[in-house]
Amino acid sequence: MGSWRVPSAVLGCLLLLCPLPSPACPDACRCSSSEADCREHALLEVPQSLSANTSALRLGYNFIVVLGPHSFPALPALLLLSLSHNLLVLIHSQALRGLGALQELDLSHNYLTALTPETFQPLASLAKLNLSSNRLKVLEPGVLRVLPQLRALFLQDNPWVCSCDILPLWCWLSQNREKVQEKNLLLCSVPVQLNEYPIMAFRNESFRQCQDMSLSTQQYMVFSAIGPFSFVASIIFCTLMGSITVVCHNLRREPHFWRRPHICRGC
């Protein structure tokens, strides 16, 4: 028994002296605790060898263009994701799957032109979303409605088109003013007469024409049916009037049989 004590003691000392293996950290990142800083490394895609316990991932100032359906490894503990100052033009509807714990997402200073509700649907815990300085002209309110915990939204520095198409977004913004950050910087770009006009300064009267022009589905169906019905009715009417005209013309040329023949009594 005594002969085994020395090796056991030596082994215990070695275990104390040798550090435990650190969580995975990509070569292009600087990792500390549960954060991964991968900024300014000319990355074209999201690094895959990230630790599963990563809570903050910073990918700003890179050259990422597209986030595909499998862009991120499994990161169930991720709370902050920054992709600002990249070249993003497209985010796949499945790109953010598996990031359900995410609370803050920064997509500012990119080239995004369109977003869908499916893209943000997995982010039920998201509280802060930064979409500023992109190429957004319109934004479907459904994109924001799928974020029940949203508390702070940044939309400034986008080329917003202030036509009737922006009415649904304006309604959402008006009902959630406390969530909209930098309200005074949320400006129209088109049309020219509304350039630099604050979107939040609009009122219901500003969209009166759009509301008057809006039609329900049933109204659209009625108006769609009027065209073909009018065409068929006009053909029937013209045919009927033509037939009546021909009959009247023929009657004028035929002898009047209902008249009694004139009898010459002097014969």
Side-chain angles (χ1 to χ4, degrees), residues 109-110 131-136 154-160 182 185-187 189 196:
H109 297 277
N110 279 285
L131 295 173
S132 62
S133 300
N134 274 277
R135 298 293 183 268
L136 297 170
F154 298 83
L155 292 173
Q156 68 271 15
D157 289 329
N158 279 286
W160 300 109
E182 306 292 347
L185 299 179
L186 189 54
L187 307 174
S189 292
E196 301 297 320

Side-chain angles (χ1 to χ4, degrees), residues 190-207:
V190 179
V192 177
Q193 57 269 29
L194 291 176
N195 187 33
E196 301 297 320
Y197 187 84
I199 294 178
M200 301 297 288
F202 286 123
R203 295 293 180 265
N204 284 322
E205 296 76 15
S206 307
F207 297 97

Side-chain angles (χ1 to χ4, degrees), residues 112-133:
L112 296 170
T113 59
L115 295 167
T116 65
E118 291 77 16
T119 301
F120 297 109
Q121 198 163 14
L123 309 182
S125 301
L126 194 69
K128 183 177 180 180
L129 175 60
N130 193 340
L131 295 173
S132 62
S133 300

Side-chain angles (χ1 to χ4, degrees), residues 31-94:
C31 300
S32 60
S33 182
S34 59
E35 297 189 6
D37 188 350
C38 311
R39 291 175 292 183
E40 300 180 1
H41 278 82
L43 296 175
L44 301 177
E45 58 185 13
V46 179
Q48 295 298 304
S49 56
L50 291 163
S51 172
N53 68 346
T54 302
S55 62
L57 176 57
R58 305 181 190 278
L59 291 164
Y61 298 91
N62 283 295
F63 300 116
I64 302 174
V65 178
V66 175
L67 291 179
H70 304 292
S71 292
F72 293 91
L75 298 172
L78 191 65
L79 300 177
L80 183 151
L81 173 60
S82 176
L83 284 154
S84 64
H85 294 89
N86 273 272
L87 303 175
L88 276 175
V89 297
L90 177 65
I91 302 178
H92 192 274
S93 60
Q94 305 294 318

Side-chain angles (χ1 to χ4, degrees), residues 10 26 41 61 84 94 127 137 232 247 255 259:
V10 174
H41 278 82
Y61 298 91
S84 64
Q94 305 294 318
K137 296 180 179 180
V232 173
V247 171
R259 294 182 180 178

Side-chain angles (χ1 to χ4, degrees), residues 1-24:
M1 292 293 293
S3 60
W4 288 97
R5 289 179 181 176
V6 175
S8 297
V10 174
L11 181 60
C13 292
L14 291 175
L15 290 174
L16 291 174
L17 293 174
C18 294
L20 294 174
S22 59

